[in-house]
Amino acid sequence: SPFGRQVTHHRALPAREAAHAPNRRPWPKAVRDILARNGIDDLYTHQARATDLIRAGRHVVVATPTASGKTYVYNLPVLERFLSDPDARALYLFPLKALAQDQLSTFNGLTAAWPADARPRAAIYDGDTTDHFRRKIRQNPPTVLLTNPEMLHLAILPHHQQWTSLLASLAYIVVDEVHTYRGVLGAHMAQVFRRLLRVCARYGAHPTFVFCSATVGNPGELAANLTGLGGDFGEENTAGEGTLLRQPLGERNARILRMASAERKRSPSPAPPSPKTFQQGSYPTKWGQGDTVPLRGAGQSPAPAIQVITESGAPQGLRHFVFVNPDDSPSTAAIQLLRAALARDLRTIVYCQSRRMTELISMWAAEKAGPYRDRISAYRAGFLPEERRDIEARMAGGDLLAVISTSALELGIDIGGLDLCILVGYPGTVMSTLQRGGRVGRAQQESAVILIAGEDALDQYFVRHPNEFFERPAEHAVVNPDNPVIAKRHIECAAAELPLPADEPWLTAPGAATALAELESEGLVLRSADGGTLLAARKRPHRHVDLRGSGSTFTIEDGDGTIIGSVDGHRAYRETHPGAVYLHRGRSWVITRLDPGAQKVVAEQARVSWFTRVRANKTTEILDIHDQCVACGTRVFLGKLRVTETITGYEKRSVSGQRLLSVVPLDAPPFVFETEGLWFEIPDAARIATENELLHFMGAIHALEHAAIGILPLLVMTDRNDLGGISTPMHAQVGRPAVFIYDGLPGGAGLTRAAFADADALFRAT
């Protein structure tokens, strides 16, 4: 085989038999009949344990591998509750519309044998639901309402008076794919869940939460940070296959910071200057909340514990993991492997790291696939809903033999049984790799996952050290519920939904307190005459809050006004500037106009032999310092930064060989935001030694910046695109060379905060 010498590692993960367990309390006969019709005598061990806890009213997070039967975990208790209390309601939250469609079909299938008038009703309430059906659903809510974060935020909470029969009877809140609620979406959802619980309490409801997640290192802490509910992360909080996670990330961070603080107290340092003055060799050390990093909203009273279940009893077929370090480009290797898979009639999914790579591989594969060209399709975010559903249906039905996707198909959308997963580049985390690999072999058949390494630091690290991948526990999912930028928007929304008491525990959290002060100074939140109540000045501020992006969404249209896709507001200037090449469903388009006022991008179809890449300048200003430590002999700082990014132009490069053809200037507005970041000083001795060896010092620290960003996902679950970096040979405030790494989310996502606690490990891995 031409790939033989390119294979750096092959490991066969043995098949695993199912482990079953009886429930502590027997199910009603109607539920037992459902299980019997599906060939189930006893549930898997994790299903039995989880359902026992849910039926007892406990909050539960289930973090088990793909295809381990998590849908039974929440559907069975909901059905049992319906049989004893037909007025009880459940809210199912899914991050993608396609997941809701899947689960509606699954839920209805469970009760298909019941008499029609005895079945619980379920309905989807999302952006595709017509106004007529929205009214019917509000007036007579179904037993199970399936929706997404946007509809909860925009359509249910602002209009809670129209949902009283749902909210007053809400018994369960099911949050599927909870590991996706991190970064920007996680910070928003931490506020949305607090608003939801507040409105539920207004109607006397105290629902049980059921969280379902892929394998992450801290599922209990993630669920607790999202909701403000307490967590019990001891006895059952295990990660992966039997590795005990003895200490949640927040406690670990706090412990390390306390140790660092104690060390600093033992080692006297010069008196710090004013917090706004930064002198060479002397920084202020400020940490507003003592020595711990407040990951969960502060000032909240203890809440019921969240039970954590991570040991799966589900069976698994023999699965091969193959690591390939290709001689040619990863995309070329992927196409060759895909052609071989198609010739063997293997149902295949190819995962790419970007939209552009997804489209390029699908175009190249179609050109070289011969008779299989009509049985291959791309699938990514930005496709229209009807396009995505058509692809899902064709894949599940067997009409498509291969799909080339971004992470849009990483989640539990049912596209039928797959045999082969090709990963074009390391997905960035162990969790994502296992999640994507879990798409194959769902019928317990023999399957394979092939990782094709790119040039990225983590790719090359794992193909050279494969044991590191298989022995490494799943990463921690980080969410920052105290992001003041995001808290500010949701406090205004909460005050518009229900008057806020000034002593609301939620408002004592650090981010919330800062945000409230800004809202009052701007006149967006008003205080009653006695000072005891807070009210929103605007009736519906919700529509100004985008849960998933840093700004609004731009539509991409052709010359006739037909919508061909969409792009996030911030990415619009990077990816759809005038002159940019935009790829969609195997066709190339050239952007002719970007209209920020109308939030519209106009493109015309064209076959071109080049692609575009933006050029940008970035500067950073240190606004405040939270803490500092020493790692590998140099000082490392954590603090608040102001980042300014200006796109100055774009490069035209040939598709073959990536040769630079031209540079075109652009006049785009600067993007300015405040965030959290870490930075480290470069000692003069290191600079002098580098220059004495006649090496390029600026190139060296720039490489250090990129390597650190590339390695950081080893410590914290994140995509490297969620991070930014700046390296400078002389920073005015630092007074010497410095390298900055910061959260790409305005206000901070908690990523660099978590990395700061492991600064020494970050340096050594880099």
Side-chain angles (χ1 to χ4, degrees), residues 462-542:
F462 281 132
V463 293
R464 287 172 166 80
H465 306 90
N467 288 335
E468 281 286 313
F469 172 82
F470 291 102
E471 294 170 4
R472 180 173 292 277
E475 299 85 357
H476 289 70
V478 175
V479 62
N480 178 18
D482 293 324
N483 180 309
V485 176
I486 289 173
K488 177 180 176 181
R489 300 175 184 178
H490 289 276
I491 289 172
E492 185 185 4
C493 293
E497 289 156 8
L498 290 169
L500 270 169
D503 59 353
E504 173 85 32
W506 179 23
L507 299 180
T508 62
T514 303
L516 179 59
E518 291 183 10
L519 286 167
E520 288 196 78
S521 68
E522 294 170 15
L524 294 174
V525 167
L526 309 175
R527 196 175 285 266
S528 62
D530 62 4
T533 305
L534 300 166
L535 301 158
R538 295 187 291 183
K539 187 176 182 180
R540 296 283 182 262
H542 307 70

Side-chain angles (χ1 to χ4, degrees), residues 258-325:
R258 281 194 293 270
M259 290 170 59
S261 177
E263 184 63 34
R264 287 193 299 278
K265 289 172 184 173
R266 285 195 294 270
S267 306
S269 56
S274 157
K276 296 301 178 185
T277 306
F278 302 89
Q279 302 172 358
Q280 180 174 340
S282 182
Y283 286 92
T285 301
K286 290 182 61 183
W287 193 257
Q289 302 299 316
D291 289 324
T292 61
V293 184
L295 286 180
R296 192 156 62 234
Q300 302 207 14
S301 57
I306 299 172
Q307 304 292 318
V308 181
I309 297 173
T310 59
E311 288 291 347
S312 173
Q316 180 180 296
L318 177 64
R319 182 173 299 162
H320 300 271
F321 260 87
V322 180
F323 288 9
V324 174
N325 202 4

